[in-house]
């Protein structure tokens, strides 16, 4: 392919894993990663951007290997002291991770954009990929549940995804614009493929696509758009994807995800444990083991996804 850049969209832990493999792709093609910021929230007076931080830490090799979020080799003195003082300790902030939130909050207050801050932090962490916030505007995922409409982190962490979900809204999305750097990347003509990483389509990719103009930007890039299934054997590798699909009345299957991505994607990467669904998908499908347990898995799935995308060039 003649392109000079891979563009990917991601949110959460699963997506970040593939992004890390894409960043190391064997063709050496540079990566631009567009990250969900709908999970952001203000907590303890800090602006926290979990999906950006999961992407940064994962790309920098700093992520906690057990949880996928936060940093490896963390210490927890701040949390212990906060708890002693009666502060809110349900959202675990390690001492080194805390520096990220303090510095991001300071720079936002100084008037910098989320995208500019993220780009600078990425380079300070030695990350070569371009990491972009989906927007510099405020978009907040709120989850309608049987105990009321909750901020995302309250649903996901404080309530541990237990409430029954009735609807999901992306507050502020209609008034938001794609970040200028996102528009530039998608209109640059440099892209050779666009990859929707195996993130939760309804919680992590949907907020990005909900921004007016984002779908058109993907389509007008004129390159194959490939989604990688977040389901393995009809189940989520991590997180509430299938629980939410069930509670939203969706069929809990990769077929539903293909349908929901329908007019946006040119191909779908299906996990080998779901290979029996292949003939019911009227799109080009690549079947492979999408489980990414090791760094080699991440690279393998990334290379296979890119090879599949390049096979879709008309
Ligand atoms: N997830 C949890 O389940 N429990 C936590 O205490 C927690 C803290 C946390 C701190 C920083 C950060 O960047 C992410 C954190 N996450 C935590 C994960 C986060 O809630 C999710 O990764 C995303 O918002 C959804 O993908």
């Amino acid at each position: 392919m003649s392109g000079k850049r891979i563009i990917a969209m991601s949110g959460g832990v699963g997506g970040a894993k593939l992004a890390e493999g894409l960043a190391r792709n064997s063709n050496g093609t540079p990566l631009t990663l567009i990250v969900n910021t709908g999970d952001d929230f203000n907590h303890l007076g800090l602006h926290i951007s979990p999906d950006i931080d999961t992407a940064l830490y994962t790309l920098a090799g700093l992520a906690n290997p057990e949880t996928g979020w936060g940093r490896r080799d963390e210490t927890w003195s701040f949390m212990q002291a906060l708890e002693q003082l009666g502060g809110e300790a349900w959202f675990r902030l390690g001492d080194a991770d805390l520096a990220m939130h303090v510095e991001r909050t300071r720079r936002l207050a100084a008037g910098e954009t989320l995208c500019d801050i993220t780009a600078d932090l990425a380079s300070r962490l030695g990350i070569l990929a371009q990491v972009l916030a989906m927007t510099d505007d405020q978009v907040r995922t709120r989850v309608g549940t049987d105990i009321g409409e909750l901020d995302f982190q309250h649903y996901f962490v404080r309530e541990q995804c237990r409430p029954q979900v009735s609807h999901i809204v992306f507050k502020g999305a209609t008034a938001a614009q794609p970040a200028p750097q996102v528009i530039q990347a998608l209109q640059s003509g440099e892209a050779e493929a666009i990859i929707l990483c195996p993130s939760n389509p309804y919680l992590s990719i949907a907020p990005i696509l909900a921004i007016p103009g984002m779908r058109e930007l993907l389509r007008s890039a004129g390159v194959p758009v490939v989604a990688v299934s977040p389901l393995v054997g009809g189940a989520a590798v991590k997180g509430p994807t299938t629980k939410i699909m069930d509670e939203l009345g969706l069929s809990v299957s990769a077929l539903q995800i293909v349908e929901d991505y329908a007019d946006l994607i040119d191909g779908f990467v299906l996990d080998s444990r779901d290979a029996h669904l292949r003939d019911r998908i009227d799109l080009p499908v690549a079947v492979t083991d999408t489980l990414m347990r090791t760094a080699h898995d991440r690279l393998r799935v990334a290379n296979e996804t890119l090879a599949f995308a390049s096979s879709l060039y008309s």
Side-chain angles (χ1 to χ4, degrees), residues 280-302:
R280 294 168 57 189
I281 298 172
D282 60 359
L283 271 179
V285 172
V287 177
T288 189
D289 178 358
T290 60
L291 261 187
M292 294 176 279
R293 294 190 184 91
T294 66
H296 179 266
D297 286 343
R298 297 176 180 183
L299 183 58
R300 173 182 56 77
V301 177

Side-chain angles (χ1 to χ4, degrees), residues 12 39 50-51 53-54 69-70 90-93 97 101 152-153 156-157:
D39 294 6
D51 283 357
D53 292 347
T54 295
W69 53 263
W90 56 271
F91 194 77
R92 311 298 298 162
L93 295 172
D97 184 35
H101 312 305
F152 180 80
Q153 297 303 337
F156 192 85
V157 179

